Amino acid sequence: MTLLQLTLKNLTRRPIRTVLTVMGIGVGIGAVVALLGLAWGLGESWTDALKARGTDLVVRKASGFLLAEPFDEEWIKQVREVPGVAQAANLLTEVLSIEEAPTVVVSGREWGTFVWDHLTIVDGRLPRSGDEQAVVLGKLAAEQLQKKVGDKITIEVADFTVAGIAECKALVENATVFMSLKNLQNIVTKEKQANFINIRMKDNSVPPDEISKAIVSKLPNCTVETAEDLSDNNEAVKTFKAMNWGTSLIALLVGTFGVMNTMFMSVFERTREIGVLIALGWKRSRILRMIVYESMALCAAAGVLGVVLGVALLKIMARMPIMEGKLEPHIGPDLLGLAMGLALGVGLLSGLYPAFRCTQINPSLALRQ
Amino acid sequence: MTQPAPTPGAPAEGLPLLEVVDVHRDFDDGHVLALRGVSFAVHEGEFVAIIGSSGSGKSTLLALLGALDEADKGVIRFRGEDITKLRDPAGFRARNIGFVFQAFHLLPTLTALENVQVPMFEAGMAKRDRQRKARELLEIVGMGHRLDHLPAKLSGGERQRVAIARSLANDPGILLADEPTGNLDSKNSHQIMELLEGLHRDKGMTLVLVTHDMEVARAADRVITMKDGQIASDERAANLTEEYA
């Protein structure tokens, strides 16, 4: 028999209480996995979309909170003059309600620039010009809007023809409606405005930092970010992540108190037994370890349950119409490892105080109980 | 009532294994005087019974002898070392003391074999050695056929046998038994006392046994009678008068 075996035997003493505690904290860990999986997935979806279109750097207005603020499309002229910039394209990205779909990402892209190149047309064609009243639908957007090539689609107050269906590497783009920048500017009445400039760098001869500095010196109101930075620094992504972390921490705090309560009850019931162990010569440090191990074993089981629940929840949410195609949840070893780490952390935290109280038991009094 | 001189009925030669000098212990801020100037000594290989009525202080005394509690005044020496001011009382107990309790105090989730191994954790023994020794001890107390039984599946007498095996786990210098037959019927009491006497007789185990039963006490070499927190008498068991019979 080892200390760990003794610990596990103690947990089987009250199986219903053990199972209920594991379920309670397991649901909490599951919520953490689901919320963080969504938050991380949101950031990654943005990064993937930028990388898929070959964008190295993104220029946007420094102000603006949840959505990027529009700026004068003429800014791009100064960007194109910066050494190291191979190509630059104006984009106007909006989230609109289209027919029966409540939220669809609509991307207006400067006609003839590199940001159109990566769209793989699986049916139909690209618009013939920036003036044509035509759109290209990402594959998932076509499914959501139930449109095919040749159909009419009403966006805001204008009618467009579906010219083609595109398959994109990034999930976010698969659920996007593409049109020329000019068309989108017209229908959302933001003429001559864009909210992003995508930059493709020439080569590595000019480092991205220098390009960024050069652009900011010309356009002090803007900020320049890499694809990764953009999602990390995006206020919407940051807010979403902060909210999800906040909710996760509340779930963990509730779980910690739950496990602590269970451990206190368990220790209280075993006061005499713990007194016996002390009488038999067990050092208080060993008693402390035994109780902390019990608490951590409970939470390890809860961690496994939580990971299973969380992953299942993420898979279900990813298939929900409101999220399908827009957000691919992040399910990776880093998230699952973090969840297990948090579970064990909860176990350690919630076991320490009851364990410390155990070490203060007077064996002489405990044996008389 | 005068206190008897230390060790009146015991062999006088050599350093005592256990020496108690003018020990006091009170509870409830001095309202309950459990021990009032108790002094005696126990020599290696002795079997001493402490007898007295409920509240006489015998269990408090046993707790102090086992370093489970601290005296308010006085000195208790084990092999010459003052155990009233130990920095590591648990370590002292693990190395030197074997406890046998009235209520057995076996851990309910562990088998007999596992229960006997519990004190061995502090002896730094390997898992295999712990198992081997626990098996041997259970054979000695006649429980070799109940190794994998949980305490709930054992009779009272069998539980106490397992508890005695557990008390021997770390080869203690002394066994302290608190009413070891208190929860047993007469047949099982007799068997447990035979076992304890055998350990004393055959292995030279030093025994201090607390009881309120004079029949049990008569098995000892020496009987100390406690009354109101003091030693009322300390004499050889063979010299006990008929009034105790």
Side-chain angles (χ1 to χ4, degrees), chain A residues 238-254:
Chain A
K238 279 203 283 192
T239 306
F240 190 58
K241 282 184 177 176
M243 285 169 59
N244 285 3
W245 263 113
T247 313
S248 299
L249 288 176
I250 290 169
L252 288 175
L253 199 63
V254 170

Side-chain angles (χ1 to χ4, degrees), chain B residues 51-122:
Chain B
I51 192 163
S53 57
S54 179
S56 61
K58 56 189 191 302
S59 290
T60 301
L61 178 60
L62 201 74
L64 292 174
L65 297 182
L68 288 174
D69 195 9
E70 290 181 14
D72 296 314
K73 188 183 159 195
V75 174
I76 302 171
R77 294 191 192 91
F78 185 86
R79 290 190 171 127
E81 179 191 8
D82 184 356
I83 63 167
T84 55
K85 294 178 177 60
L86 287 170
R87 289 181 62 187
D88 177 19
F92 166 78
R93 286 193 295 271
R95 289 188 302 275
N96 300 297
I97 309 287
F99 279 107
V100 180
F101 305 102
Q102 178 179 357
F104 325 125
H105 290 325
L106 299 176
L107 300 189
T109 52
L110 303 185
T111 64
L113 190 67
E114 290 166 338
N115 261 293
V116 177
Q117 293 175 57
V118 168
M120 298 181 200
F121 276 93
E122 292 298 340

